Amino acid sequence: MKENTKKGVSRREFLGLSALGLASLTILPSWKMAGVRIAPSDRVVLGFIGLGQQALSDFAGFAACPGVQVAACCDVDSLKQLRFKKRIETWQAAKSMAPRCDMYEFYEDLLERKDIDAVEVATPDHWHALNTIHAAQAGKDVYCQKPLAFTIREGLEMVKAVRGNKRVLQVGSQQRSSKEFQKAIELVQSGAIGHIEKIYARVGAPPKPLDLPEMPVPGNLNWNKWMGPLNDPKIHYHPDLCPPITVDPEQNEKLWGAWRWYQETGNGYTADWGAHMFDIAQAAIGMDGSGPTEFIPAGYNGSTYAAMKYQNGIVMTEQPFLEGNDGAQGIKFIGDKGWIEVARGYLACSDKSKVPAELAGQRPLTMEEMKKRWEEMKKQAEKQGNKPKGGMAGSYETSSPHMQNFIDCVRSRENPIAPVEVGCSTNTLCCLANIARELNRPVKWNPATLSFINDKEAAAHRLYEYEYRRPYSL
């Protein structure tokens, strides 16, 4: 096992970065993007923390935003560092920029860079809190992949760090920037289907216990650093958790990091897709920053689907939203005057006149279709130097409007479309749903006080808070 032998990491756990060194300062001249000269004062310089498939996809979105430069990257896998560096420097050369992307194994070193304005956090969920909190303390704005955190308390501490340090944070819940979801939210809030009574939100299966066999750790991976704050002795290395790649010849990951599917390291589809679908449902019914007050797991008292009850009487269930298509992730809002269905690339309403012409007649994609579209999109993006074509259905992983909104807010200091409080409330909902499932009984929560209601067992659950492995601390 490769150990973290770097000196001074414990110092950085307290992030004494108020007096940052200038050793890594890089002076970049003005340059052109799509024929438009970008002055240094308007340029936004990014660093990437976590360099798997998601970071590559997100870079494709950022590459389409005028005035963006990438100066550095960080990962605990040295091969992923090298792959990312090659991608960035190829893009820079194609855009007549001086090709340079510095590589780091320790994100603390990247955060010491004075020339970096903002960072992307695309690490596994259990690293999001420390990466984001330390970035905020170091004066960086953050684009943090969803779900915002691994536990409830982590999300709450991230809100404090972002607001306390006057930073901009955009959560990677890119459906917020998509026209079909924005239209669905508008229709619900305008009363197009009357008073909302029920919501069906299909996200997928919850996490399962880790059942992968232990395998030898490859020399290019610092597994000890990958583990970070996780302290569960049942967690061990398996390539599915941190999918391997090769650089020469380039062979990319054959699957998404499976850490998300196991309860020791992730929150399953409950959070992976719940951070999208539950998020939109909350936005539509005006529950951003709040949430349900009761969580009932599937199977309790013979129930078929997990349910979440809001104080205003609305009940949201995790069940198929579209008859005859159980596998599609999406949402159905049911009101006393009609219904609305929405999924990626799809919007339908009981009143057809409410659906814009460009969205009418479409249908939601199945999981297999989305996977196929994703592979096609990746190949196309790579051929075009990682610059995606806009408007392609299924291109959510390179959603440049969502990235552009973040870059605009880095410049304006306004709140982005998916700010940290939104990510926190959605993450809390997902964690609470999994807590109720693991306890196999209802759990009651007060969104105003951010506390359980007379439930010490739930309050002690690891998804509310767990003890970090030393030397890490929250």
Side-chain angles (χ1 to χ4, degrees), residues 201-353:
R202 187 60 159 179
V203 300
K208 60 181 180 179
L210 182 64
D211 58 1
L212 297 171
E214 184 171 6
M215 297 184 70
V217 179
N220 55 284
L221 175 65
N222 186 337
W223 175 250
N224 183 54
K225 190 67 173 177
W226 187 95
M227 284 282 293
L230 292 176
N231 66 2
D232 192 326
K234 297 190 296 293
I235 303 172
H236 48 250
Y237 172 76
H238 185 281
D240 284 5
L241 298 178
C242 189
I245 68 164
T246 62
V247 176
D248 189 16
E250 183 173 306
Q251 292 184 341
N252 297 316
E253 298 92 337
K254 297 185 183 301
L255 73 161
W256 288 97
W259 50 264
R260 70 197 70 211
W261 313 132
Y262 298 101
Q263 62 190 28
E264 292 83 359
T265 53
N267 274 306
Y269 281 100
T270 306
D272 194 61
W273 275 84
H276 290 307
M277 299 306 174
F278 294 150
D279 181 69
I280 294 297
Q282 292 239 123
I285 61 174
M287 284 294 166
D288 277 343
S290 184
T293 57
E294 186 175 7
F295 296 78
I296 304 170
Y300 183 78
N301 282 346
S303 61
T304 303
Y305 304 108
M308 289 157 272
K309 296 182 178 180
Y310 290 86
Q311 190 67 42
N312 60 11
I314 296 175
V315 177
M316 179 162 62
T317 51
E318 196 289 304
Q319 69 181 84
F321 79 103
L322 189 64
E323 187 175 349
N325 193 344
D326 290 358
Q329 278 102 341
I331 312 165
K332 184 169 188 173
F333 297 95
I334 301 172
D336 58 6
K337 296 181 180 178
W339 53 264
I340 294 167
E341 295 171 343
V342 63
R344 294 186 173 185
Y346 169 78
L347 177 66
C349 182
S350 51
D351 181 350
K352 294 182 180 180
S353 68

Side-chain angles (χ1 to χ4, degrees), residues 6-162:
K6 183 176 176 62
K7 302 297 183 183
V9 172
S10 60
R11 170 183 66 84
R12 294 197 182 101
E13 290 306 323
F14 297 96
L15 248 245
L17 295 176
S18 58
L20 296 175
L22 298 178
S24 298
L25 182 63
T26 301
I27 303 298
L28 297 172
S30 62
W31 51 280
K32 290 184 178 181
M33 182 74 172
V36 178
R37 184 170 294 279
I38 306 297
S41 59
D42 291 329
R43 187 179 57 240
V44 175
V45 181
L46 299 179
F48 281 71
I49 303 173
L51 306 176
Q53 291 188 91
Q54 190 65 59
L56 294 177
S57 302
D58 287 351
F59 164 64
F62 280 117
C65 301
V68 167
Q69 173 62 292
V70 180
C73 62
C74 172
D75 200 276
V76 297
D77 185 327
S78 61
L79 291 180
K80 290 177 182 176
Q81 293 176 33
L82 184 58
R83 175 183 65 177
F84 195 84
K85 175 183 174 68
K86 291 176 67 175
R87 293 281 184 95
I88 297 300
E89 292 183 351
T90 298
W91 167 73
Q92 289 169 331
K95 300 299 177 185
S96 300
M97 294 182 268
R100 178 176 175 180
C101 180
D102 297 330
M103 301 184 297
Y104 297 96
E105 181 177 3
F106 301 96
Y107 73 92
E108 298 93 340
D109 292 335
L110 184 149
L111 293 179
E112 287 184 350
R113 295 276 295 260
K114 278 283 194 178
D115 58 328
I116 291 177
D117 303 304
V119 296
E120 149 119 20
V121 173
T123 50
D125 297 349
H126 67 274
W127 264 114
H128 284 188
L130 291 180
N131 292 158
T132 297
I133 291 169
H134 292 167
Q137 291 172 342
K140 314 301 183 190
D141 297 322
V142 181
Y143 184 98
C144 183
Q145 263 305 326
K146 56 78 197 168
L148 184 69
F150 182 38
T151 69
I152 293 173
R153 190 191 159 212
E154 286 176 336
L156 298 174
E157 294 299 324
M158 292 165 79
V159 173
K160 291 179 185 177
V162 169

